[in-house]
Amino acid sequence: MTSRLRPVPRLARVERDALLAEAQRVLDRNWTGHSTVASRTLYPHQWSWDAAFIAIGRAWSEQARAQRELESLLAGQWANGMVPHIVFDPSVPVGEYFPGPDFWAAHGASEAGPGTGPATSGILQPPMHARAALEVHRRAEAAGEGAVAASLAFLGRVYPKLVAWHRYLAGRRGVGGHHLAAIVHPWESGMDNSPIWDQDLDELRIPPGAVPAYRRHDLVHADPADRPTDAAYDRFVYLAISYRDAGYDDATLLARSPFLVEDPLFNAIWCWSAHALAEIAELLGHDGAPHRTMARRIHEGMLTYLWEPGARRFLAWDVRGRRHVSKNTVSSLMPLLDPELPAEQVDAIVAELGSTHFHAAGPASFLVPSYDLASPDFDRRRYWRGPVWINIDWLIWRGLGQHGDPPVRAEIATSMTQLVRRSGFREYFDPFTGDGYGSHDFSWTAALLIDLLHRLGLTGDRPAW
Ligand code: 2M8
């Protein structure tokens, strides 16, 4: 496999500083005064896992904004502990994003909902937040004593909310009985249009009239070739309506939800965050053991139920269909985030990263495509069905750093840097040409590039300057 690896070019310090400055300008432009929009055009509100990535990048130079980002998101937390996937900005005109607050009707939903908090959506996204809160604090430690005191106060405020969030996932979404959290909608995965969901979406039977007429706001700002098809969108809307109209009731999910999946990416992030929550607990003088126990359970759940020994891959488990979803996507690589992942699985994932599935031959190809390059339905530009995403690269890069720093890790760092140098802070990128797709000035691309460049500077990892 290593024969596929290419030499890693070096980046001059002046170029690195220019990239950092431009990334910071993107974040400045996308700051609303209390949080950061994912993008000014396509996503003019605050998204959940975006907020976590953004806080991680901001924390290098803007502690107060990094903390505010996470606390603004957590202001939308529901009474039952759920952290919603969108917190809506009331100053953005209705109709600028679909589905908006009226569609989700979260305030009227049930006593589980957001109470008197801001308007939110009714579904969730991968639980990156405890990990982000810990990372923000680590940057404060580097900044000195005054920053540490403020940061400990911040951790004290968010800790109970993060505990409630993880309890919600274990208690309400642990419906498969595997100590893993199930998602009820592809949007909850963060990889909305991934081929992982195709079979379940195809099998949905939508009753006539169940999906009212709606206008796709996303197509105003993006090329339809980059976005989900209308048929997929109808299914997304139908699933959201089904959950909403059941009052966002998780108690009946097993019997009722037409979509229920335990996904490796979601659960690996949760495991990584549960370890972070244990560290936060200990920083605050609390007992970290319950969070480590939760992390251990997720670890065991992933190994027992998502690892498919025949395929030597982690695969999503369809709770309703009682089957693995045999789609080879980047989700299968994410258990690298589990610091206790055994060597057998680490080796299999590293081999996969260097194989023709995820590592295209040729001088101008970029890591890591979101879907197996050899799949007949691989699509180099359509959202989550092939393009490279900076947050996915960053997660794999961090995951590999926990497991011996194999050479492909430096290549991923180089890809991230080269993609942005070539095409700017785009939402996603062509794995062959590096062309940018989706939004321009996309916040998590900027934030995670900041984090990457600073970390490389600290550790002397390649590429060096
Ligand atoms: C995309 O998802 C939203 C719906 O939540 C959309 O397509 O309208 C996904 O890439 C998701 O992971 C991301 O959090 C969101 C905002 O960046 O956009």
Side-chain angles (χ1 to χ4, degrees):
M1 298 303 162
T2 44
S3 61
R4 302 186 61 76
L5 301 181
R6 291 182 294 271
V8 176
R10 289 170 179 260
L11 186 69
R13 178 174 285 278
V14 59
E15 285 178 278
R16 171 210 191 238
D17 291 349
L19 271 179
L20 280 170
E22 190 45 44
Q24 186 60 47
R25 277 195 287 276
V26 169
L27 293 184
D28 290 348
R29 284 197 289 268
N30 290 351
W31 177 249
T32 64
H34 48 83
S35 64
T36 311
V37 291
S39 102
R40 281 278 167 203
T41 52
L42 206 48
Y43 311 112
H45 298 282
Q46 187 185 35
W47 260 258
S48 169
W49 73 331
D50 301 55
F53 295 129
I54 291 162
I56 287 170
R58 283 200 186 276
W60 287 95
S61 60
E62 303 177 291
Q63 271 291 312
R65 282 192 182 180
Q67 294 172 7
R68 188 80 195 277
E69 186 76 45
L70 289 172
E71 292 196 76
S72 290
L73 180 80
L74 291 170
Q77 183 170 34
W78 286 24
N80 65 6
M82 198 275 284
V83 175
H85 100 298
I86 305 174
V87 174
F88 290 107
D89 181 341
S91 72
V92 173
V94 178
E96 283 290 296
Y97 182 78
F98 175 82
D102 294 352
F103 174 93
W104 293 105
H107 278 112
S110 65
E111 76 248 16
T116 54
T120 71
S121 69
I123 56 171
L124 46 81
Q125 268 190 332
M128 262 300 294
H129 315 93
R131 178 56 57 179
L134 180 64
E135 303 249 329
V136 169
H137 180 72
R138 293 291 178 227
R139 301 291 84 75
E141 285 176 336
E145 250 174 58
V148 171
S151 179
L152 284 171
F154 154 74
L155 287 183
R157 292 192 299 276
V158 296
Y159 176 70
K161 295 173 185 245
L162 295 169
V163 172
W165 174 212
H166 285 209
R167 274 201 195 123
Y168 168 85
L169 291 171
R172 307 289 186 96
R173 293 304 190 88
V175 291
H178 298 160
H179 295 301
L180 298 172
I183 53 172
V184 304
H185 195 295
W187 287 342
E188 293 199 322
S189 73
M191 303 170 292
D192 304 20
N193 200 29
S194 169
I196 307 173
W197 327 121
D198 285 359
Q199 189 177 354
D200 276 343
L201 293 180
D202 286 349
E203 287 173 5
L204 277 182
R205 292 291 156 258
I206 305 182
V211 176
Y214 62 91
R215 184 172 159 266
R216 283 186 65 178
H217 174 77
D218 58 324
L219 299 183
V220 177
H221 295 291
D223 187 327
D226 302 354
R227 296 287 302 173
T229 62
D230 284 347
Y233 231 82
D234 274 354
R235 287 169 161 71
F236 295 153
V237 173
Y238 173 67
L239 283 177
I241 289 174
S242 305
Y243 189 40
R244 180 196 69 192
D245 290 355
Y248 300 110
D249 178 15
D250 295 316
T252 58
L253 281 181
L254 208 48
R256 180 189 45 73
S257 177
F259 182 99
L260 213 47
V261 179
E262 293 167 347
D263 176 58
L265 175 142
F266 191 100
N267 283 286
I269 287 180
W270 185 25
C271 180
W272 200 36
S273 267
H275 281 286
L277 199 51
E279 285 187 57
I280 294 173
E282 284 155 7
L283 282 163
L284 294 169
H286 303 309
D287 183 7
H291 307 302
R292 290 192 208 287
T293 302
M294 195 179 278
R296 188 76 203 167
R297 287 195 182 128
I298 304 165
H299 161 93
E300 280 161 9
M302 289 197 296
L303 283 174
T304 310
Y305 300 104
L306 305 188
W307 175 250
E308 226 282 274
R312 292 185 55 73
R313 275 187 198 125
F314 286 94
L315 294 172
W317 176 255
D318 180 346
V319 177
R320 293 188 63 79
R322 306 194 59 73
R323 62 190 174 207
H324 278 120
V325 183
S326 299
K327 291 282 183 180
N328 192 18
T329 74
V330 275
S331 180
S332 298
L333 314 173
M334 287 304 159
L336 285 171
L337 292 170
D338 175 0
E340 295 171 347
L341 192 68
E344 182 193 346
Q345 282 76 19
V346 172
D347 292 348
I349 294 174
V350 172
E352 190 72 345
L353 274 166
S355 79
T356 46
H357 297 293
F358 288 100
H359 203 296
S365 53
F366 298 89
L367 300 180
V368 176
S370 44
Y371 187 33
D372 186 341
L373 296 160
S375 280
D377 51 345
F378 166 84
D379 186 333
R380 61 199 284 173
R381 67 177 297 164
R382 202 178 289 277
Y383 156 101
W384 293 109
R385 304 182 76 88
V388 177
W389 291 75
I390 295 297
N391 68 330
I392 295 294
D393 275 8
W394 182 87
L395 289 166
I396 296 174
W397 184 77
R398 292 297 305 271
L400 288 169
Q402 300 185 127
H403 300 288
D405 196 11
V408 70
R409 184 164 182 259
E411 276 202 289
I412 293 172
T414 302
S415 262
M416 292 170 72
T417 315
Q418 302 293 28
L419 284 169
V420 174
R421 280 174 79 203
R422 189 188 176 287
S423 299
F425 295 89
R426 298 299 298 267
E427 190 179 355
Y428 41 102
F429 301 88
D430 189 301
F432 302 111
T433 62
D435 287 351
Y437 302 133
S439 282
H440 292 260
D441 283 357
F442 190 64
S443 293
W444 83 36
T445 301
L448 295 179
L449 199 80
I450 290 175
D451 188 71
L452 176 82
L453 294 178
H454 279 300
R455 280 175 189 277
L456 291 173
L458 283 181
T459 60
D461 279 357
R462 294 184 306 158
W465 21 80

